[in-house]
Amino acid sequence: FGVMKGSTKRTSKREDPEESDRKIRQTVAWWNRYGELQQQIHYDSVKEPLTRISSRQAMQLLNSLEDKKDRLVNPTGWIRAECQRLGGGEDRELDTKIRRTIGWINHQKVLKEPLQYVKVSGQELLSTHASHIAG
């Protein structure tokens, strides 16, 4: 918390999760109503991934729809893929476990070829899918 000069009002640099959720919800509603998207954004499908990235990133991502809306067939899928790309789509604890397990398996040399995280986690597929829907 910081105190502004000449003021007793306290300000916080931390994001308020409720405020962030409200802004995201309102922005998605605006896009669905006025954005002239090819398909509606399914809020329930994008809420969690959008809250796993910073509020600023989420708003920038949603605002970037303006440049892509004519090419995006599935804006919900694109938003989820972009959140994943920005590091907000995965469960970090699960991600760590997957990486450790792959490392252990590769160290044991029980497979013909080492496992690659990007292929096992589905990120390669997701990245290809995101490129496809963005045009």
Side-chain angles (χ1 to χ4, degrees):
F1 289 101
V3 179
M4 297 170 48
K5 279 188 176 180
S7 170
T8 57
K9 185 177 178 180
R10 299 182 100 184
T11 58
S12 172
K13 294 193 184 235
R14 289 191 175 173
E15 296 177 353
D16 176 10
E18 289 180 20
E19 178 65 15
S20 178
D21 182 56
R22 184 187 64 77
K23 284 181 183 179
I24 290 170
R25 192 174 348 100
Q26 287 179 337
T27 304
V28 168
W30 185 92
W31 274 108
N32 284 340
R33 188 165 184 183
Y34 304 109
E36 300 177 1
L37 298 170
Q38 292 183 40
Q39 288 183 18
Q40 297 269 302
I41 299 168
H42 300 286
Y43 177 73
D44 289 340
S45 296
V46 299
K47 176 185 176 184
E48 186 177 339
L50 284 170
T51 58
R52 288 186 180 181
I53 59 177
S54 74
S55 177
R56 182 178 186 161
Q57 285 178 310
M59 294 309 294
Q60 286 174 340
L61 192 147
L62 291 171
N63 290 332
S64 73
L65 284 169
E66 182 65 36
D67 299 330
K68 296 168 179 45
K69 69 180 182 179
D70 295 331
R71 298 183 312 240
L72 285 176
V73 175
N74 178 0
T76 301
W78 178 80
I79 291 168
R80 290 178 59 86
E82 285 298 297
C83 287
Q84 177 78 25
R85 186 182 66 76
L86 293 169
E90 77 263 0
D91 178 335
R92 295 201 193 294
E93 187 177 325
L94 178 59
D95 183 67
T96 301
K97 287 180 182 179
I98 291 170
R99 288 179 185 276
R100 284 183 182 156
T101 302
I102 290 171
W104 181 86
I105 291 169
N106 288 342
H107 181 73
Q108 300 301 314
K109 298 182 182 185
V110 293
L111 300 175
K112 223 177 187 181
E113 294 181 27
L115 292 175
Q116 295 178 3
Y117 172 81
V118 95
K119 291 184 178 181
V120 175
S121 69
Q123 286 186 354
E124 184 175 82
L125 176 61
L126 190 58
S127 177
T128 304
H129 180 64
S131 300
H132 176 70
I133 39 185

